[in-house]
């Protein structure tokens, strides 16, 4: 596994995992699907889906803390700023040996370039929101999102998953 190969797969994920439409009903269905994936893996996570500036789904499993919601906010800010997954932004910065603060002047108080937030793209429209997850290691946060989105879109997860570390 290399950062470059992961970045290539992350770009593929973002290109393929797009919705025909996305509204509050879609958010509910996707959020519940993500919760089911987490429960099946015995993962303790917090989930947040935002459409524009509106929170349309939020769920925190027993065992999460307010810190999980803070991580979600900071990762969501990265997606809203760059229209990329927070993991892709983080790996890109790592590859360049820089940080959000050094490259863009963005404070870690408000931005976290760590895996776990993914842009919601609607075909022909662009990014309309984000879906975030917090509670696992950053790569695992990211991959759980990708798995749930791929399954929701009826795409084979195996075609878009990151290689094992």
């Amino acid at each position: 596994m290399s950062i470059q190969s992961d970045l290539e797969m992350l770009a593929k994920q973002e290109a393929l995992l797009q919705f025909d439409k996305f509204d509050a009903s879609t958010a509910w269905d996707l959020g519940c699907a993500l919760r089911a994936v987490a429960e099946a893996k015995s993962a303790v996570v917090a989930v947040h889906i935002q459409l524009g500036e509106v929170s349309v789904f939020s769920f925190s499993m027993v065992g999460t803390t307010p810190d999980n919601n803070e991580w979600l906010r900071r990762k969501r800010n990265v997606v809203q700023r760059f229209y990329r997954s927070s993991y892709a932004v983080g790996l890109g910065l790592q590859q360049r040996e820089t940080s959000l603060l050094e490259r863009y002047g963005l404070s870690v108080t408000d931005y976290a370039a760590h895996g776990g937030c993914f842009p919601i793209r609607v075909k022909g429209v662009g990014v309309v929101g984000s879906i975030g997850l917090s509670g696992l290691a950053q790569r695992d946060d990211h991959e759980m999102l990708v798995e749930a989105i791929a399954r929701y879109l009826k795409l084979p997860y195996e075609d878009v998953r990151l290689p094992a570390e």
Side-chain angles (χ1 to χ4, degrees), residues 111-130:
Y111 294 86
H114 296 274
C117 197
F118 199 86
I120 297 169
R121 277 193 176 78
V122 173
K123 295 173 187 171
V125 176
V127 175
V128 298
S130 63

Side-chain angles (χ1 to χ4, degrees), residues 75-92:
K75 291 189 276 190
R76 182 173 59 247
N77 286 345
V78 168
V79 172
Q80 289 175 326
R81 170 86 180 231
F82 297 100
Y83 292 169
R84 299 284 322 271
S85 75
S86 55
Y87 195 45
V89 172
L91 287 182

Side-chain angles (χ1 to χ4, degrees), residues 12-49:
K12 179 180 177 180
Q13 290 173 346
E14 292 175 9
L16 292 175
L17 299 177
Q18 297 189 34
F19 297 83
D20 292 324
K21 69 176 189 75
F22 199 97
D23 57 19
S25 179
T26 312
W28 178 263
D29 293 341
L30 181 57
C32 290
L34 184 53
R35 177 184 173 193
V37 170
E39 287 175 340
K41 295 178 184 235
S42 299
V44 176
V45 298
V47 178
H48 184 88
I49 302 176

